Amino acid sequence: MTDSDGKPHQGPAAPDGDPEYADRVYRSVPGVISGVLLLVVAAWLIGDAVVSGTGKTPYVSLAAVPVFAFPVIAYTLRPTVTAGRDRLVVRNPWRTVVAPWASVDALRAGYSVELLAGGRKYQLWAVPVSLRQRKRAARAQSGSVAEHASRTGLGMGLAKRSNPVVQGSPDPTRAWSDQVTAVLQEMAERNAVRPTAAGPVEVRWCWWVIAPTLAGLVGLITVIAV
C-alpha cells in the first residue's frame, strides 16, 4: 500500500517504536487470469452438457464439477505469499506454511522460488519463475543496453520497464520472481531479530479444497459405475 507520493503507506507506530507498514502480498497475475478463464470455460461446457446432454451425461457433468473446480482454484487462485512484520505466510495449493522470520534460513530462486525454514524446503507457488523475464533482464543489463543508454540517456529507463517492478527491489531490471525473492530475503534478515518473529514453522493442510475434491472424485466414479 502506498501514499499519493508513491511511498509505502506508514501506519501507527508498532510497540517497539518502529513504524507499522501494511503486509506485502505477492501472487501470480497470469495464474489468476488463467484460473478465471478455465473456470468460465468449464462452467459453459458443463452447463451445456447438463441442459442438452442425454443419458448419464448431465449427472457425470455435475459430478465432475468439484473434481475440476477445486483443483483449478487451488493451483491458480489460492496461491499467495504474504510478508508481514513477524512472519511469512505461504499459501500453496494444498497447504499453508506459516514461517516466523526467525525460522527462515533462506529464500532462493532457481527454477522455482523456494523457502528454507525449520530444516525443510517449501516451494512458493505464488511466485513462479519466468525464464523469459530472466533473459529479458540479462539483455537489459548487457553491454548493448549500456551503450544505448550512454548515447540516448533512455536505455536504462527502457530496461527498468522491461519487467514488472517490485516495491523495495534493489534491482528493478531483474525478473519479477528474482526481485520478490530478494525483497523477502531482505525482510527475513531485517525482521528475524524481533522478539515477536520467533517460533516454529506451522504447516496446515487446506481441507476445504482437499475434502470436496476427494468427495467429488468418489461421486464421479460412482455415477460412472452405476
Side-chain angles (χ1 to χ4, degrees), residues 75-112:
Y75 280 94
T76 61
L77 305 183
R78 172 176 155 78
T80 58
V81 173
T82 304
R85 276 174 52 89
D86 299 327
R87 62 188 57 86
L88 181 68
V89 180
V90 179
R91 204 166 69 180
N92 283 339
W94 306 107
R95 298 186 300 176
T96 298
V97 180
V98 180
W101 289 120
S103 69
V104 174
D105 300 318
L107 288 116
R108 63 189 184 191
Y111 290 105
S112 64

PDB file of all heavy atoms in Angstrom, residues 75-112:
ATOM      1  N   TYR A  75      -4.744 -24.279  -7.595  1.00  0.00           N
ATOM      2  CA  TYR A  75      -3.473 -24.049  -8.277  1.00  0.00           C
ATOM      3  C   TYR A  75      -3.365 -22.672  -8.933  1.00  0.00           C
ATOM      4  O   TYR A  75      -2.260 -22.256  -9.293  1.00  0.00           O
ATOM      5  CB  TYR A  75      -3.255 -25.125  -9.341  1.00  0.00           C
ATOM      6  CG  TYR A  75      -2.747 -26.428  -8.777  1.00  0.00           C
ATOM      7  CD1 TYR A  75      -3.628 -27.449  -8.451  1.00  0.00           C
ATOM      8  CD2 TYR A  75      -1.393 -26.626  -8.525  1.00  0.00           C
ATOM      9  CE1 TYR A  75      -3.178 -28.650  -7.916  1.00  0.00           C
ATOM     10  CE2 TYR A  75      -0.928 -27.819  -7.985  1.00  0.00           C
ATOM     11  CZ  TYR A  75      -1.829 -28.823  -7.681  1.00  0.00           C
ATOM     12  OH  TYR A  75      -1.377 -30.003  -7.132  1.00  0.00           O
ATOM     13  N   THR A  76      -4.472 -21.971  -9.087  1.00  0.00           N
ATOM     14  CA  THR A  76      -4.409 -20.685  -9.789  1.00  0.00           C
ATOM     15  C   THR A  76      -4.847 -19.499  -8.931  1.00  0.00           C
ATOM     16  O   THR A  76      -4.204 -18.451  -8.957  1.00  0.00           O
ATOM     17  CB  THR A  76      -5.283 -20.723 -11.057  1.00  0.00           C
ATOM     18  OG1 THR A  76      -6.658 -20.966 -10.697  1.00  0.00           O
ATOM     19  CG2 THR A  76      -4.808 -21.807 -12.017  1.00  0.00           C
ATOM     20  N   LEU A  77      -5.932 -19.634  -8.174  1.00  0.00           N
ATOM     21  CA  LEU A  77      -6.467 -18.502  -7.412  1.00  0.00           C
ATOM     22  C   LEU A  77      -5.987 -18.477  -5.964  1.00  0.00           C
ATOM     23  O   LEU A  77      -5.839 -17.406  -5.373  1.00  0.00           O
ATOM     24  CB  LEU A  77      -8.005 -18.536  -7.425  1.00  0.00           C
ATOM     25  CG  LEU A  77      -8.674 -18.572  -8.798  1.00  0.00           C
ATOM     26  CD1 LEU A  77     -10.193 -18.520  -8.640  1.00  0.00           C
ATOM     27  CD2 LEU A  77      -8.204 -17.417  -9.668  1.00  0.00           C
ATOM     28  N   ARG A  78      -5.751 -19.627  -5.395  1.00  0.00           N
ATOM     29  CA  ARG A  78      -5.394 -19.688  -3.972  1.00  0.00           C
ATOM     30  C   ARG A  78      -3.965 -19.261  -3.648  1.00  0.00           C
ATOM     31  O   ARG A  78      -3.744 -18.576  -2.638  1.00  0.00           O
ATOM     32  CB  ARG A  78      -5.644 -21.117  -3.455  1.00  0.00           C
ATOM     33  CG  ARG A  78      -5.123 -21.356  -2.054  1.00  0.00           C
ATOM     34  CD  ARG A  78      -5.462 -22.741  -1.546  1.00  0.00           C
ATOM     35  NE  ARG A  78      -4.507 -23.163  -0.528  1.00  0.00           N
ATOM     36  CZ  ARG A  78      -4.526 -22.746   0.732  1.00  0.00           C
ATOM     37  NH1 ARG A  78      -5.447 -21.886   1.129  1.00  0.00           N
ATOM     38  NH2 ARG A  78      -3.624 -23.179   1.600  1.00  0.00           N
ATOM     39  N   PRO A  79      -2.937 -19.612  -4.435  1.00  0.00           N
ATOM     40  CA  PRO A  79      -1.555 -19.329  -4.016  1.00  0.00           C
ATOM     41  C   PRO A  79      -1.267 -17.843  -3.811  1.00  0.00           C
ATOM     42  O   PRO A  79      -1.493 -17.025  -4.708  1.00  0.00           O
ATOM     43  CB  PRO A  79      -0.716 -19.896  -5.166  1.00  0.00           C
ATOM     44  CG  PRO A  79      -1.567 -20.953  -5.780  1.00  0.00           C
ATOM     45  CD  PRO A  79      -2.966 -20.405  -5.686  1.00  0.00           C
ATOM     46  N   THR A  80      -0.769 -17.511  -2.639  1.00  0.00           N
ATOM     47  CA  THR A  80      -0.311 -16.158  -2.326  1.00  0.00           C
ATOM     48  C   THR A  80       0.855 -16.263  -1.357  1.00  0.00           C
ATOM     49  O   THR A  80       1.023 -17.258  -0.664  1.00  0.00           O
ATOM     50  CB  THR A  80      -1.408 -15.287  -1.674  1.00  0.00           C
ATOM     51  OG1 THR A  80      -1.866 -15.928  -0.486  1.00  0.00           O
ATOM     52  CG2 THR A  80      -2.568 -15.041  -2.622  1.00  0.00           C
ATOM     53  N   VAL A  81       1.642 -15.205  -1.317  1.00  0.00           N
ATOM     54  CA  VAL A  81       2.706 -15.073  -0.329  1.00  0.00           C
ATOM     55  C   VAL A  81       2.488 -13.741   0.382  1.00  0.00           C
ATOM     56  O   VAL A  81       2.444 -12.689  -0.265  1.00  0.00           O
ATOM     57  CB  VAL A  81       4.101 -15.104  -0.981  1.00  0.00           C
ATOM     58  CG1 VAL A  81       5.180 -14.782   0.042  1.00  0.00           C
ATOM     59  CG2 VAL A  81       4.367 -16.471  -1.608  1.00  0.00           C
ATOM     60  N   THR A  82       2.350 -13.786   1.698  1.00  0.00           N
ATOM     61  CA  THR A  82       2.102 -12.586   2.497  1.00  0.00           C
ATOM     62  C   THR A  82       3.255 -12.392   3.469  1.00  0.00           C
ATOM     63  O   THR A  82       3.542 -13.265   4.292  1.00  0.00           O
ATOM     64  CB  THR A  82       0.780 -12.700   3.275  1.00  0.00           C
ATOM     65  OG1 THR A  82      -0.291 -12.954   2.357  1.00  0.00           O
ATOM     66  CG2 THR A  82       0.499 -11.405   4.027  1.00  0.00           C
ATOM     67  N   ALA A  83       3.909 -11.256   3.355  1.00  0.00           N
ATOM     68  CA  ALA A  83       5.055 -10.935   4.209  1.00  0.00           C
ATOM     69  C   ALA A  83       4.653  -9.820   5.171  1.00  0.00           C
ATOM     70  O   ALA A  83       4.355  -8.706   4.753  1.00  0.00           O
ATOM     71  CB  ALA A  83       6.246 -10.498   3.365  1.00  0.00           C
ATOM     72  N   GLY A  84       4.648 -10.137   6.453  1.00  0.00           N
ATOM     73  CA  GLY A  84       4.321  -9.153   7.478  1.00  0.00           C
ATOM     74  C   GLY A  84       5.520  -8.814   8.346  1.00  0.00           C
ATOM     75  O   GLY A  84       6.653  -9.167   8.041  1.00  0.00           O
ATOM     76  N   ARG A  85       5.281  -8.145   9.458  1.00  0.00           N
ATOM     77  CA  ARG A  85       6.374  -7.762  10.360  1.00  0.00           C
ATOM     78  C   ARG A  85       7.011  -8.971  11.021  1.00  0.00           C
ATOM     79  O   ARG A  85       8.221  -9.009  11.229  1.00  0.00           O
ATOM     80  CB  ARG A  85       5.825  -6.824  11.455  1.00  0.00           C
ATOM     81  CG  ARG A  85       5.730  -5.371  11.060  1.00  0.00           C
ATOM     82  CD  ARG A  85       5.049  -4.579  12.173  1.00  0.00           C
ATOM     83  NE  ARG A  85       5.680  -4.797  13.472  1.00  0.00           N
ATOM     84  CZ  ARG A  85       6.690  -4.077  13.941  1.00  0.00           C
ATOM     85  NH1 ARG A  85       7.205  -3.118  13.195  1.00  0.00           N
ATOM     86  NH2 ARG A  85       7.179  -4.301  15.136  1.00  0.00           N
ATOM     87  N   ASP A  86       6.191  -9.960  11.364  1.00  0.00           N
ATOM     88  CA  ASP A  86       6.675 -11.056  12.193  1.00  0.00           C
ATOM     89  C   ASP A  86       6.820 -12.382  11.463  1.00  0.00           C
ATOM     90  O   ASP A  86       7.534 -13.261  11.935  1.00  0.00           O
ATOM     91  CB  ASP A  86       5.741 -11.266  13.386  1.00  0.00           C
ATOM     92  CG  ASP A  86       5.661 -10.033  14.271  1.00  0.00           C
ATOM     93  OD1 ASP A  86       6.679  -9.329  14.379  1.00  0.00           O
ATOM     94  OD2 ASP A  86       4.581  -9.775  14.829  1.00  0.00           O
ATOM     95  N   ARG A  87       6.148 -12.544  10.329  1.00  0.00           N
ATOM     96  CA  ARG A  87       6.149 -13.862   9.710  1.00  0.00           C
ATOM     97  C   ARG A  87       5.888 -13.790   8.210  1.00  0.00           C
ATOM     98  O   ARG A  87       5.397 -12.777   7.699  1.00  0.00           O
ATOM     99  CB  ARG A  87       5.087 -14.755  10.367  1.00  0.00           C
ATOM    100  CG  ARG A  87       3.672 -14.232  10.202  1.00  0.00           C
ATOM    101  CD  ARG A  87       2.684 -15.033  11.014  1.00  0.00           C
ATOM    102  NE  ARG A  87       3.027 -15.055  12.422  1.00  0.00           N
ATOM    103  CZ  ARG A  87       2.658 -14.127  13.285  1.00  0.00           C
ATOM    104  NH1 ARG A  87       1.945 -13.088  12.872  1.00  0.00           N
ATOM    105  NH2 ARG A  87       3.023 -14.197  14.549  1.00  0.00           N
ATOM    106  N   LEU A  88       6.229 -14.891   7.570  1.00  0.00           N
ATOM    107  CA  LEU A  88       5.955 -15.085   6.159  1.00  0.00           C
ATOM    108  C   LEU A  88       4.900 -16.175   6.036  1.00  0.00           C
ATOM    109  O   LEU A  88       5.073 -17.275   6.579  1.00  0.00           O
ATOM    110  CB  LEU A  88       7.225 -15.494   5.419  1.00  0.00           C
ATOM    111  CG  LEU A  88       7.116 -15.727   3.907  1.00  0.00           C
ATOM    112  CD1 LEU A  88       6.835 -14.408   3.191  1.00  0.00           C
ATOM    113  CD2 LEU A  88       8.399 -16.361   3.369  1.00  0.00           C
ATOM    114  N   VAL A  89       3.808 -15.876   5.349  1.00  0.00           N
ATOM    115  CA  VAL A  89       2.731 -16.847   5.164  1.00  0.00           C
ATOM    116  C   VAL A  89       2.699 -17.255   3.693  1.00  0.00           C
ATOM    117  O   VAL A  89       2.463 -16.423   2.814  1.00  0.00           O
ATOM    118  CB  VAL A  89       1.366 -16.266   5.590  1.00  0.00           C
ATOM    119  CG1 VAL A  89       0.259 -17.303   5.377  1.00  0.00           C
ATOM    120  CG2 VAL A  89       1.404 -15.820   7.043  1.00  0.00           C
ATOM    121  N   VAL A  90       2.959 -18.528   3.435  1.00  0.00           N
ATOM    122  CA  VAL A  90       2.991 -19.063   2.067  1.00  0.00           C
ATOM    123  C   VAL A  90       1.751 -19.929   1.876  1.00  0.00           C
ATOM    124  O   VAL A  90       1.614 -20.983   2.523  1.00  0.00           O
ATOM    125  CB  VAL A  90       4.266 -19.891   1.826  1.00  0.00           C
ATOM    126  CG1 VAL A  90       4.262 -20.457   0.410  1.00  0.00           C
ATOM    127  CG2 VAL A  90       5.498 -19.035   2.057  1.00  0.00           C
ATOM    128  N   ARG A  91       0.872 -19.490   1.008  1.00  0.00           N
ATOM    129  CA  ARG A  91      -0.354 -20.250   0.735  1.00  0.00           C
ATOM    130  C   ARG A  91      -0.185 -20.972  -0.591  1.00  0.00           C
ATOM    131  O   ARG A  91      -0.270 -20.371  -1.658  1.00  0.00           O
ATOM    132  CB  ARG A  91      -1.551 -19.293   0.697  1.00  0.00           C
ATOM    133  CG  ARG A  91      -2.871 -19.960   1.004  1.00  0.00           C
ATOM    134  CD  ARG A  91      -3.953 -18.945   1.282  1.00  0.00           C
ATOM    135  NE  ARG A  91      -4.314 -18.214   0.069  1.00  0.00           N
ATOM    136  CZ  ARG A  91      -5.232 -17.264   0.021  1.00  0.00           C
ATOM    137  NH1 ARG A  91      -5.846 -16.907   1.129  1.00  0.00           N
ATOM    138  NH2 ARG A  91      -5.511 -16.647  -1.101  1.00  0.00           N
ATOM    139  N   ASN A  92       0.068 -22.271  -0.522  1.00  0.00           N
ATOM    140  CA  ASN A  92       0.241 -23.119  -1.688  1.00  0.00           C
ATOM    141  C   ASN A  92      -1.068 -23.833  -2.016  1.00  0.00           C
ATOM    142  O   ASN A  92      -2.042 -23.718  -1.257  1.00  0.00           O
ATOM    143  CB  ASN A  92       1.369 -24.116  -1.441  1.00  0.00           C
ATOM    144  CG  ASN A  92       2.740 -23.476  -1.582  1.00  0.00           C
ATOM    145  OD1 ASN A  92       2.884 -22.433  -2.218  1.00  0.00           O
ATOM    146  ND2 ASN A  92       3.756 -24.079  -0.982  1.00  0.00           N
ATOM    147  N   PRO A  93      -1.129 -24.588  -3.113  1.00  0.00           N
ATOM    148  CA  PRO A  93      -2.399 -25.213  -3.499  1.00  0.00           C
ATOM    149  C   PRO A  93      -3.049 -26.056  -2.405  1.00  0.00           C
ATOM    150  O   PRO A  93      -4.253 -25.953  -2.180  1.00  0.00           O
ATOM    151  CB  PRO A  93      -2.004 -26.072  -4.703  1.00  0.00           C
ATOM    152  CG  PRO A  93      -0.866 -25.344  -5.315  1.00  0.00           C
ATOM    153  CD  PRO A  93      -0.112 -24.765  -4.166  1.00  0.00           C
ATOM    154  N   TRP A  94      -2.272 -26.891  -1.712  1.00  0.00           N
ATOM    155  CA  TRP A  94      -2.860 -27.824  -0.760  1.00  0.00           C
ATOM    156  C   TRP A  94      -2.474 -27.533   0.688  1.00  0.00           C
ATOM    157  O   TRP A  94      -3.050 -28.129   1.606  1.00  0.00           O
ATOM    158  CB  TRP A  94      -2.450 -29.264  -1.097  1.00  0.00           C
ATOM    159  CG  TRP A  94      -2.760 -29.642  -2.508  1.00  0.00           C
ATOM    160  CD1 TRP A  94      -1.872 -29.801  -3.529  1.00  0.00           C
ATOM    161  CD2 TRP A  94      -4.053 -29.886  -3.074  1.00  0.00           C
ATOM    162  NE1 TRP A  94      -2.521 -30.137  -4.695  1.00  0.00           N
ATOM    163  CE2 TRP A  94      -3.868 -30.200  -4.445  1.00  0.00           C
ATOM    164  CE3 TRP A  94      -5.346 -29.877  -2.564  1.00  0.00           C
ATOM    165  CZ2 TRP A  94      -4.911 -30.492  -5.301  1.00  0.00           C
ATOM    166  CZ3 TRP A  94      -6.402 -30.161  -3.421  1.00  0.00           C
ATOM    167  CH2 TRP A  94      -6.176 -30.469  -4.765  1.00  0.00           C
ATOM    168  N   ARG A  95      -1.502 -26.652   0.904  1.00  0.00           N
ATOM    169  CA  ARG A  95      -1.038 -26.388   2.265  1.00  0.00           C
ATOM    170  C   ARG A  95      -0.789 -24.901   2.468  1.00  0.00           C
ATOM    171  O   ARG A  95      -0.556 -24.165   1.514  1.00  0.00           O
ATOM    172  CB  ARG A  95       0.249 -27.155   2.566  1.00  0.00           C
ATOM    173  CG  ARG A  95       0.147 -28.648   2.504  1.00  0.00           C
ATOM    174  CD  ARG A  95       1.432 -29.309   2.968  1.00  0.00           C
ATOM    175  NE  ARG A  95       2.593 -28.926   2.162  1.00  0.00           N
ATOM    176  CZ  ARG A  95       3.837 -29.323   2.418  1.00  0.00           C
ATOM    177  NH1 ARG A  95       4.085 -30.064   3.468  1.00  0.00           N
ATOM    178  NH2 ARG A  95       4.823 -28.961   1.633  1.00  0.00           N
ATOM    179  N   THR A  96      -0.821 -24.488   3.733  1.00  0.00           N
ATOM    180  CA  THR A  96      -0.430 -23.137   4.128  1.00  0.00           C
ATOM    181  C   THR A  96       0.747 -23.251   5.088  1.00  0.00           C
ATOM    182  O   THR A  96       0.669 -23.978   6.089  1.00  0.00           O
ATOM    183  CB  THR A  96      -1.593 -22.387   4.810  1.00  0.00           C
ATOM    184  OG1 THR A  96      -2.666 -22.246   3.884  1.00  0.00           O
ATOM    185  CG2 THR A  96      -1.143 -21.003   5.258  1.00  0.00           C
ATOM    186  N   VAL A  97       1.829 -22.550   4.776  1.00  0.00           N
ATOM    187  CA  VAL A  97       3.037 -22.582   5.590  1.00  0.00           C
ATOM    188  C   VAL A  97       3.193 -21.226   6.275  1.00  0.00           C
ATOM    189  O   VAL A  97       3.235 -20.188   5.598  1.00  0.00           O
ATOM    190  CB  VAL A  97       4.284 -22.887   4.736  1.00  0.00           C
ATOM    191  CG1 VAL A  97       5.534 -22.915   5.604  1.00  0.00           C
ATOM    192  CG2 VAL A  97       4.115 -24.204   3.987  1.00  0.00           C
ATOM    193  N   VAL A  98       3.259 -21.234   7.590  1.00  0.00           N
ATOM    194  CA  VAL A  98       3.455 -20.005   8.369  1.00  0.00           C
ATOM    195  C   VAL A  98       4.849 -20.083   8.987  1.00  0.00           C
ATOM    196  O   VAL A  98       5.106 -20.909   9.865  1.00  0.00           O
ATOM    197  CB  VAL A  98       2.388 -19.851   9.458  1.00  0.00           C
ATOM    198  CG1 VAL A  98       2.624 -18.562  10.246  1.00  0.00           C
ATOM    199  CG2 VAL A  98       0.993 -19.859   8.854  1.00  0.00           C
ATOM    200  N   ALA A  99       5.749 -19.228   8.514  1.00  0.00           N
ATOM    201  CA  ALA A  99       7.146 -19.255   8.962  1.00  0.00           C
ATOM    202  C   ALA A  99       7.505 -17.929   9.631  1.00  0.00           C
ATOM    203  O   ALA A  99       7.641 -16.906   8.945  1.00  0.00           O
ATOM    204  CB  ALA A  99       8.079 -19.510   7.784  1.00  0.00           C
ATOM    205  N   PRO A 100       7.639 -17.897  10.957  1.00  0.00           N
ATOM    206  CA  PRO A 100       8.165 -16.684  11.601  1.00  0.00           C
ATOM    207  C   PRO A 100       9.537 -16.354  11.018  1.00  0.00           C
ATOM    208  O   PRO A 100      10.311 -17.253  10.660  1.00  0.00           O
ATOM    209  CB  PRO A 100       8.261 -17.098  13.075  1.00  0.00           C
ATOM    210  CG  PRO A 100       7.279 -18.219  13.230  1.00  0.00           C
ATOM    211  CD  PRO A 100       7.304 -18.950  11.930  1.00  0.00           C
ATOM    212  N   TRP A 101       9.837 -15.080  10.929  1.00  0.00           N
ATOM    213  CA  TRP A 101      11.076 -14.668  10.260  1.00  0.00           C
ATOM    214  C   TRP A 101      12.316 -15.294  10.893  1.00  0.00           C
ATOM    215  O   TRP A 101      13.289 -15.601  10.196  1.00  0.00           O
ATOM    216  CB  TRP A 101      11.192 -13.146  10.272  1.00  0.00           C
ATOM    217  CG  TRP A 101      10.238 -12.448   9.368  1.00  0.00           C
ATOM    218  CD1 TRP A 101       9.279 -11.538   9.731  1.00  0.00           C
ATOM    219  CD2 TRP A 101      10.158 -12.564   7.949  1.00  0.00           C
ATOM    220  NE1 TRP A 101       8.595 -11.099   8.620  1.00  0.00           N
ATOM    221  CE2 TRP A 101       9.115 -11.705   7.513  1.00  0.00           C
ATOM    222  CE3 TRP A 101      10.843 -13.311   6.998  1.00  0.00           C
ATOM    223  CZ2 TRP A 101       8.763 -11.577   6.172  1.00  0.00           C
ATOM    224  CZ3 TRP A 101      10.487 -13.182   5.653  1.00  0.00           C
ATOM    225  CH2 TRP A 101       9.462 -12.329   5.262  1.00  0.00           C
ATOM    226  N   ALA A 102      12.306 -15.503  12.201  1.00  0.00           N
ATOM    227  CA  ALA A 102      13.481 -16.077  12.857  1.00  0.00           C
ATOM    228  C   ALA A 102      13.729 -17.525  12.437  1.00  0.00           C
ATOM    229  O   ALA A 102      14.847 -18.034  12.567  1.00  0.00           O
ATOM    230  CB  ALA A 102      13.319 -16.007  14.378  1.00  0.00           C
ATOM    231  N   SER A 103      12.687 -18.200  11.918  1.00  0.00           N
ATOM    232  CA  SER A 103      12.838 -19.594  11.497  1.00  0.00           C
ATOM    233  C   SER A 103      13.249 -19.715  10.037  1.00  0.00           C
ATOM    234  O   SER A 103      13.537 -20.821   9.570  1.00  0.00           O
ATOM    235  CB  SER A 103      11.524 -20.347  11.714  1.00  0.00           C
ATOM    236  OG  SER A 103      10.518 -19.897  10.803  1.00  0.00           O
ATOM    237  N   VAL A 104      13.284 -18.596   9.325  1.00  0.00           N
ATOM    238  CA  VAL A 104      13.624 -18.620   7.897  1.00  0.00           C
ATOM    239  C   VAL A 104      15.138 -18.684   7.733  1.00  0.00           C
ATOM    240  O   VAL A 104      15.865 -17.795   8.187  1.00  0.00           O
ATOM    241  CB  VAL A 104      13.061 -17.377   7.178  1.00  0.00           C
ATOM    242  CG1 VAL A 104      13.539 -17.330   5.725  1.00  0.00           C
ATOM    243  CG2 VAL A 104      11.540 -17.384   7.236  1.00  0.00           C
ATOM    244  N   ASP A 105      15.621 -19.744   7.102  1.00  0.00           N
ATOM    245  CA  ASP A 105      17.054 -19.878   6.834  1.00  0.00           C
ATOM    246  C   ASP A 105      17.465 -19.127   5.577  1.00  0.00           C
ATOM    247  O   ASP A 105      18.509 -18.479   5.545  1.00  0.00           O
ATOM    248  CB  ASP A 105      17.424 -21.357   6.698  1.00  0.00           C
ATOM    249  CG  ASP A 105      17.116 -22.143   7.972  1.00  0.00           C
ATOM    250  OD1 ASP A 105      17.390 -21.616   9.060  1.00  0.00           O
ATOM    251  OD2 ASP A 105      16.587 -23.267   7.859  1.00  0.00           O
ATOM    252  N   ALA A 106      16.637 -19.207   4.532  1.00  0.00           N
ATOM    253  CA  ALA A 106      16.976 -18.524   3.285  1.00  0.00           C
ATOM    254  C   ALA A 106      15.803 -18.615   2.325  1.00  0.00           C
ATOM    255  O   ALA A 106      14.902 -19.456   2.486  1.00  0.00           O
ATOM    256  CB  ALA A 106      18.223 -19.146   2.641  1.00  0.00           C
ATOM    257  N   LEU A 107      15.812 -17.725   1.348  1.00  0.00           N
ATOM    258  CA  LEU A 107      14.915 -17.807   0.203  1.00  0.00           C
ATOM    259  C   LEU A 107      15.783 -17.783  -1.047  1.00  0.00           C
ATOM    260  O   LEU A 107      16.719 -16.981  -1.129  1.00  0.00           O
ATOM    261  CB  LEU A 107      13.919 -16.647   0.176  1.00  0.00           C
ATOM    262  CG  LEU A 107      12.836 -16.739   1.252  1.00  0.00           C
ATOM    263  CD1 LEU A 107      12.963 -15.580   2.215  1.00  0.00           C
ATOM    264  CD2 LEU A 107      11.453 -16.762   0.625  1.00  0.00           C
ATOM    265  N   ARG A 108      15.506 -18.654  -1.991  1.00  0.00           N
ATOM    266  CA  ARG A 108      16.330 -18.733  -3.189  1.00  0.00           C
ATOM    267  C   ARG A 108      15.461 -18.970  -4.406  1.00  0.00           C
ATOM    268  O   ARG A 108      14.392 -19.583  -4.327  1.00  0.00           O
ATOM    269  CB  ARG A 108      17.372 -19.840  -3.039  1.00  0.00           C
ATOM    270  CG  ARG A 108      16.787 -21.247  -2.900  1.00  0.00           C
ATOM    271  CD  ARG A 108      17.859 -22.254  -2.540  1.00  0.00           C
ATOM    272  NE  ARG A 108      17.326 -23.617  -2.496  1.00  0.00           N
ATOM    273  CZ  ARG A 108      17.997 -24.657  -2.008  1.00  0.00           C
ATOM    274  NH1 ARG A 108      19.222 -24.478  -1.517  1.00  0.00           N
ATOM    275  NH2 ARG A 108      17.447 -25.861  -2.003  1.00  0.00           N
ATOM    276  N   ALA A 109      15.941 -18.465  -5.522  1.00  0.00           N
ATOM    277  CA  ALA A 109      15.218 -18.592  -6.790  1.00  0.00           C
ATOM    278  C   ALA A 109      16.089 -19.327  -7.788  1.00  0.00           C
ATOM    279  O   ALA A 109      17.109 -18.795  -8.239  1.00  0.00           O
ATOM    280  CB  ALA A 109      14.822 -17.211  -7.322  1.00  0.00           C
ATOM    281  N   GLY A 110      15.716 -20.554  -8.110  1.00  0.00           N
ATOM    282  CA  GLY A 110      16.375 -21.315  -9.162  1.00  0.00           C
ATOM    283  C   GLY A 110      15.395 -21.491 -10.295  1.00  0.00           C
ATOM    284  O   GLY A 110      14.985 -20.532 -10.936  1.00  0.00           O
ATOM    285  N   TYR A 111      15.007 -22.738 -10.537  1.00  0.00           N
ATOM    286  CA  TYR A 111      13.915 -22.982 -11.487  1.00  0.00           C
ATOM    287  C   TYR A 111      12.557 -22.768 -10.832  1.00  0.00           C
ATOM    288  O   TYR A 111      11.535 -22.742 -11.501  1.00  0.00           O
ATOM    289  CB  TYR A 111      14.014 -24.395 -12.054  1.00  0.00           C
ATOM    290  CG  TYR A 111      15.196 -24.571 -12.989  1.00  0.00           C
ATOM    291  CD1 TYR A 111      16.328 -25.257 -12.585  1.00  0.00           C
ATOM    292  CD2 TYR A 111      15.179 -24.023 -14.269  1.00  0.00           C
ATOM    293  CE1 TYR A 111      17.424 -25.399 -13.427  1.00  0.00           C
ATOM    294  CE2 TYR A 111      16.259 -24.158 -15.121  1.00  0.00           C
ATOM    295  CZ  TYR A 111      17.375 -24.853 -14.697  1.00  0.00           C
ATOM    296  OH  TYR A 111      18.446 -24.984 -15.527  1.00  0.00           O
ATOM    297  N   SER A 112      12.562 -22.630  -9.514  1.00  0.00           N
ATOM    298  CA  SER A 112      11.386 -22.246  -8.752  1.00  0.00           C
ATOM    299  C   SER A 112      11.875 -21.470  -7.538  1.00  0.00           C
ATOM    300  O   SER A 112      13.051 -21.543  -7.173  1.00  0.00           O
ATOM    301  CB  SER A 112      10.581 -23.478  -8.316  1.00  0.00           C
ATOM    302  OG  SER A 112      11.338 -24.284  -7.438  1.00  0.00           O
TER     303      SER A 112
END
